[in-house]
């Protein structure tokens, strides 16, 4: 067994630059979600902005190779360290509310 082989094909196997770019994008997404919550609630709570306790974003994507194979990809994003129960609860709520 090669001791230098990555444990997975994901985040931990990426180089420092790629992880840094992903972390920055995730942080920007969190700030955008917090801003959307503030805008959405400002009429009812102008002096008491919301505090985002957790968030989950899902994306469905494709590219030329996937299109040729009638396929696509899906990703789920959440803040680093967020408890799984928070993400699962939000995902269940979104599924029942929007389907």
């Amino acid at each position: 067994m090669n001791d230098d082989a990555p444990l997975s094909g994901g985040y931990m196997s990426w180089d420092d630059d790629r992880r840094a770019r992903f972390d920055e994008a995730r942080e920007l997404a969190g700030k955008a979600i917090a801003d959307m919550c503030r805008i959405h609630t400002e009429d009812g709570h102008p002096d008491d902005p919301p505090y985002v306790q957790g968030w989950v974003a899902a994306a469905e994507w494709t590219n030329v190779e996937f299109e040729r194979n009638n396929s696509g990809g899906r990703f789920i994003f959440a803040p680093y360290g967020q408890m799984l129960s928070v993400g699962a609860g939000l995902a269940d709520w979104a599924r029942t509310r929007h389907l």
Side-chain angles (χ1 to χ4, degrees):
M1 181 173 153
N2 181 357
D3 290 333
D4 295 330
L7 297 176
S8 72
Y11 183 85
M12 294 308 292
S13 67
W14 296 346
D15 64 33
D16 291 343
D17 178 63
R18 186 174 181 189
R19 279 197 304 272
R21 288 184 295 122
F22 185 83
D23 290 344
E24 182 181 1
R26 183 173 40 203
E27 186 176 325
L28 289 171
K31 288 178 181 178
I33 289 168
D35 200 28
M36 287 189 293
C37 289
R38 278 190 292 280
I39 292 166
H40 186 71
T41 61
E42 64 190 16
D43 289 340
H45 307 280
D47 299 322
D48 188 16
Y51 174 78
V52 176
Q53 294 178 310
W55 61 267
V56 174
E60 186 169 88
W61 61 275
T62 191
N63 60 22
V64 174
E65 180 183 343
F66 276 22
E67 286 286 323
R68 288 181 182 145
N69 294 305
N70 198 28
S71 298
R74 291 182 175 165
F75 291 134
I76 297 173
F77 303 98
Y80 181 74
Q82 178 173 286
M83 291 179 15
L84 182 59
S85 60
V86 173
L90 285 168
D92 283 345
W93 175 83
R95 182 182 50 79
T96 59
R97 179 170 170 91
H98 297 288
L99 292 180

